[in-house]
Every structure is written in C-alpha cells, then in structure tokens.
Amino acid sequence: MLKVQKLLLVVLAFLFLWPLNRVQAAEEIGEGTAKVKEIMEYLYQYHLLRPRAETLVEGAVEGLLGKLGDPYTEYLPEEKLRGFTESLEGEYGGIGVELEAAYPYPRVRKVFPASPAGRAGLREGDCIARVEGEDVAGLPLPEVVNRLRGPAGSRVEVTVRREGGVEFSVTLVREVVRAPSLEWRMLPGSVAYIKISYFASHTAEEFSAVAAALKKEQLKGVILDLQDNPGGYLQAAVDVAGFFLPRGLVVVVTVDREGRREEYYPRGGGPALPEVPVVVLQNGGTASAAEVLAGALEDYRRAVLVGSRSYGKGVVQAVVPLKTGGALKITIARYLTPRGRSLEGSGLVPARQVSLPCLVLAAARQELYPERPRTLAFDLRGGGAWVGTERVAACGLAPVSPGGEWYLPLRFTLEALGFGVRWDEEGGRVVAARGERELALAPAEKLALIGGRQVPVEPLWVDGHLYLPSSIFTRLGIQVKLEGGRLELEFWPSGREEYPRTLLN
C-alpha cells in the first residue's frame, strides 16, 4: 500500500552501497570498542535480570545512534530494510489501495485496478476502521499502512466503513503490488496536472512517457504536485528536473563533512516540456528529493511554489549493508539548491501560501495567469464557490448574514484571493498579507490593524471558523459586490506583480 502522507518518516536523498574503510575505523575507535565489549560481557554474565545478548547489542546500537542527535541515521534490521527498499520502489505485498490521513480513520484515496481491494469492491472514500479486528482510530498513518502490508499470499481481514454508515469486513489475500510513482491528467484550459508520489528508480522513465504525450498537446501550463512526496532517489528527482530546464544546469549540490562538493546534473535526453508556466504544489509532507526538485525549479525561476512550507530535510543519507545483517542508514552530506540555499530545518516557503487543501489546485490554476486579477465568487443559493474559473467545495464554508451585512470566512476568502494567512502565537492575532496589503486581527480585542490604522471589528465564530464582515475585506483593496445570488470578490495584487513564467537568462 502506498501511503500518501509521509509514508517514510525519514527518507533517503539517494541510496547507494558505500564501502567502509575498516582499517582506519579500527585504529581510531578500537579502544572504545573494547570498553563497550567489556561492559556487555559483565552485564551478560552477572546482571540480576539475565539480559540476552541480543538485548545488549540492540541497546549498544541504540545508544550509539541516539548520541548523535540525528533522526535520519538509524539501524535497519533485515525486515525493516526490506520494507524500506520496497517503499522506495513502490513494490510490496499489500491489498492495492492508496491511503490518506483523515479523522478518525484513514481514507482510501485510490484503489489500484486488478488488485485484491479492487476485486473486493473497495472504493475511493472508504475508511479503514479495523485491521484483523483491531480498531485503528487515531493511529498514525504509517502504522495502519504497515498492518495492511505483508508477504504476498498472506491473508488480512479489513473492516471498511463507507459513507452512510455502512460497515463491512472482507478477508483479502495480499499480492505483490507495484504502485506507479506518478499519475497525470489534462485539466480544462490545456493545463497538465502531474502528481509525483515518490521518487523511485523508474520515475524518470515514467515522466519521459508523460513528456512525450504532452508534446502532442497544445499545452498552456503545468501543475506539478509534490504534496506529501517524502522523497526517494536523489538522481530520479534530478532527472525529472531535466525535463523542465535547459541542458547543462546543475540541479543540486552535495557537501560532505570535509567540504567536498559534488554537483548533480540530469541524465539522459528525454523530451523537454514546452516552455510554459509551471506551478509546483507543496506542503509539510514535501521532503528530501522532492524539495530538491522544487528548490531547483524555484532557483532558476522556472516555477512558482504554491501551498505551505515544505518539510525541510536538507541532508543526504547512504545505506551501508552490514556483514552481520541489516544495514546502517547514515547521514553523510548536506545538499544545497543551485543558488546555495540549505533547506535543513527551514524548508521552502511558497510564493503563494495556501493551507486549505480544498483551495490548492484552484490557487495553482490562478498562478498560471499572473496578469489576471484574483477572483472569488460564493453561490449564495446552491452553495460552493468559484476561485477564478474553478469551482471548489469551499471547504464546507459559506457566507452568513446575521444582521444584514455579509460575513465571510477569513482564511478561505483571503487564501482564495492570494493572501498568506497565519496565526501569530506571540501576538495572539491573525496576520494576513499580500504585497503591501496587510491585516492584523486580535479577535479577543475586536480590533484590526489595516494599513497602519486601527479598525474596530466584530468577528464571528461559526463552527470554529473565524468570519469577518465584508467591509473589512474592502479595506484591504478587495472589491465586493452582490449580484444575482452571487457574492463576488476581486483583488488585484499590489503593483500587479507577475511571477516568473519561464526561465530567465
């Protein structure tokens, strides 16, 4: 099963076999090794609890790795190594579904055709309630994924909860599933939507087929979705960058502890994509190799980033196979974007910040046309909203009119119009900004600061969402009008600034 949201909590930037200079290591750490061995022998022979040798070895290894303070360096026993490799390649024993995080139960995002789940009648939108009779409510998504996986030919009982309260159980026989690393489709307006879920050794080959198909389209733009992409093989991400960039450009630089630098360039000569506007979607689950790709496209001003701040994994691991079994995943370098940025701990901050999932794709469509105003229209009779020309579900939010004036959901409205919205913990206020336009609102004080002026405001809370009167939005330069059962808003960004549409020389 392919996990959508942070399937790998820690992922490799790339994977390779790395020889160990055992002679040098023996000389420098021999005395320490002898001390550890002596302590382990005394504990094994005399300790009251009669610890097993395996327990002492595990403790020694955990102590060594824990002392580093590096969450990415870890020992991989045989079973964990096998699962790790399967995750990187998207080939594993499972039931053939793709899950996404939802409360309280994980939800089926996709059912693979001709899979055990598909033959059993599972559908998109189904929730996994129990696995082998055990309730999985509130469990981390990786744990649910692991419970559903297993050797091909083994059985697993799954209880499914369907919309409408229907619940049923099925026993599935796991099969070898190979999940494609990407999927794509054409959107209205000749815009290609390409989602890369992870970077496997075959991702560049899959992307080449997509690029060849797009050469036959009258392509107007590309939306590259890297949301919840945990990374994978570094070279795969570098190769995909080659479809967007001219030949000969470095995509990423790695720097080891001695300061040695290594530059990575795309391999092969797949068909280049047309020079059209590109938007990259990202979120907090966008990590490692996915950040490499997004960072390179941003550095070369080839793409606009939309979404929320990425994970911020800027270090490189190697996997060292151990003679005693298993492997050691060890951090050996950090990587830098083409302009020398380190993303470790900081991540990539998008040019267009959108935190609401229901808005991300519509916002991306807007950013393909920077010369147009940002528009939002609420359907006051039938519900829903239009962001630009894209109809969205409005995240279940709708305007309300308790006293004659229309109140609008703050975050949804402003994010739909291109504002970044955040909560200032220290100041206890909501801050929204786009260009020179800024709103700072302290809901408890019923006071807003707009353009340096204090404005009294009576906010509303509707089902936990903050609403503001339409007059506050007009003070931000947003045009608001009521016409034919639609509440329409329009905003021109300050200076009508344009994001780069193509590579700048």
Side-chain angles (χ1 to χ4, degrees), residues 142 236 338 487:
L487 191 62

Side-chain angles (χ1 to χ4, degrees), residues 60-307:
V61 171
E62 290 173 2
L64 283 169
L65 301 182
K67 198 68 175 178
L68 295 172
D70 175 13
Y72 305 122
T73 294
E74 62 176 323
Y75 168 65
L76 301 174
E78 292 286 356
E79 184 176 344
K80 192 172 182 179
L81 176 62
R82 183 166 54 253
F84 180 79
T85 305
E86 288 174 352
S87 296
L88 281 173
E89 288 298 344
E91 188 171 296
Y92 48 83
I95 65 173
V97 297
E98 187 176 280
L99 292 184
E100 61 186 354
Y103 180 83
Y105 297 108
R107 183 170 50 234
V108 175
R109 179 180 178 272
K110 183 178 181 181
V111 179
F112 299 142
S115 67
R119 291 191 293 272
L122 269 67
R123 306 174 189 169
E124 294 179 10
D126 285 346
C127 291
I128 305 300
R130 293 187 292 278
V131 179
E132 294 292 354
E134 293 188 21
D135 194 284
V136 298
L139 290 181
L141 194 54
E143 186 170 339
V144 181
V145 169
N146 289 334
R147 292 188 182 194
L148 289 171
R149 288 186 178 182
S154 61
R155 295 176 178 271
V156 59
E157 183 186 36
V158 180
T159 301
V160 177
R161 182 168 294 182
R162 183 163 291 169
E163 189 176 2
V166 177
E167 187 171 295
F168 61 94
S169 297
V170 291
T171 299
L172 305 175
V173 179
R174 297 181 179 99
E175 296 178 359
V176 175
V177 176
R178 180 173 180 180
S181 65
L182 63 82
E183 56 187 68
W184 75 285
R185 65 181 186 273
M186 292 300 298
L187 302 177
S190 298
V191 173
Y193 169 84
I194 308 170
K195 178 173 180 58
I196 304 179
S197 298
Y198 61 101
F199 288 97
S201 59
H202 49 82
T203 299
E205 181 182 349
E206 292 179 34
F207 202 97
S208 181
V210 174
L214 292 179
K215 295 285 280 187
K216 303 173 185 177
E217 301 281 347
Q218 297 296 317
L219 199 60
K220 302 297 183 183
V222 174
I223 297 175
L224 180 63
D225 190 349
L226 300 180
Q227 295 178 102
D228 300 313
N229 182 321
Y233 292 102
L234 176 64
Q235 189 62 52
V238 171
D239 290 343
V240 169
F243 291 95
F244 295 92
L245 302 174
R247 291 175 181 268
L249 294 180
V250 62
V251 173
V252 67
V253 177
T254 61
V255 184
D256 68 12
R257 68 181 191 177
E258 306 299 333
R260 290 186 292 261
R261 299 167 61 90
E262 186 172 359
E263 298 178 340
Y264 285 78
Y265 298 86
R267 302 174 302 186
L273 290 172
E275 192 104 336
V276 296
V278 178
V279 172
V280 173
L281 304 184
Q282 64 170 49
N283 62 9
T286 304
S288 194
E291 291 176 290
V292 166
L293 174 56
L297 296 182
E298 183 182 47
D299 274 9
Y300 288 119
R301 306 190 72 183
R302 185 64 184 91
V304 177
L305 307 187
V306 171

